[in-house]
Amino acid sequence: MKHIPKPIVEQKKLNTGEMRNRIEVQEFVETVNENGYPVEDWQTKHHLWAKIKTVKGSEVIKAAAEVNTETYRFIVRYTEGLNAKQRIVFKNRIYDIQAVLNDDELQNTQTIIAVVRKP
């Protein structure tokens, strides 16, 4: 019987049922209005389905003030062009993207690490 070696990296099956949250990925762009003046604003670049997980809640004392940081992990299908200059909007909350990771370098899913923006 001939032995067939397993691939070094096995591709994980994507469970799309876990991706039940619709998020918006926005990008800060500068456009020109009808009067010819530059206008800077956030524009939606992608609507994505995501699995959302809480990563941590950490409290840090800075300048005698307590700051609470809420970090989340958004797992999405691989999407070209996601980067840390963008932000996520989900349920009227804004999340600043800290990092975009290509899971297992397989271009199957990406993990977006983001922090809730404080008002």
Side-chain angles (χ1 to χ4, degrees):
M1 179 184 250
K2 189 174 182 179
H3 175 69
I4 301 173
K6 287 186 176 182
I8 294 172
V9 177
E10 292 184 21
Q11 192 168 11
K12 294 179 185 176
K13 296 211 188 261
L14 179 63
N15 186 352
T16 56
E18 293 179 344
M19 294 184 178
R20 59 182 75 117
N21 299 293
R22 192 75 163 157
I23 64 171
E24 278 183 60
V25 177
Q26 295 182 337
E27 190 168 66
F28 193 72
V29 295
E30 184 175 307
T31 57
V32 177
N33 67 10
E34 62 276 354
N35 297 326
Y37 293 103
V39 177
E40 295 177 336
D41 197 15
W42 289 95
Q43 290 184 351
T44 299
K45 185 164 173 107
H46 302 285
H47 284 95
L48 302 172
W49 290 102
K51 175 181 176 181
I52 302 173
K53 302 284 270 178
T54 305
V55 175
K56 65 180 178 177
S58 62
E59 294 179 354
V60 179
I61 298 185
K62 281 188 177 177
E66 192 174 279
V67 179
N68 186 22
T69 304
E70 296 175 61
T71 305
Y72 288 82
R73 182 176 57 190
F74 296 84
I75 300 168
V76 299
R77 287 181 187 262
Y78 182 84
T79 305
E80 195 71 38
L82 295 180
N83 61 63
K85 294 179 183 176
Q86 298 166 332
R87 72 180 189 180
I88 292 173
V89 177
F90 174 65
K91 291 189 176 179
N92 296 321
R93 293 176 81 185
I94 297 172
Y95 300 80
D96 293 320
I97 297 176
Q98 304 296 306
V100 179
L101 310 169
N102 181 0
D103 298 334
D104 300 324
E105 294 298 321
L106 295 175
Q107 296 184 337
N108 188 25
T109 60
Q110 287 174 301
T111 299
I112 303 169
I113 307 297
V115 176
V116 175
R117 181 180 291 175
K118 297 296 177 189

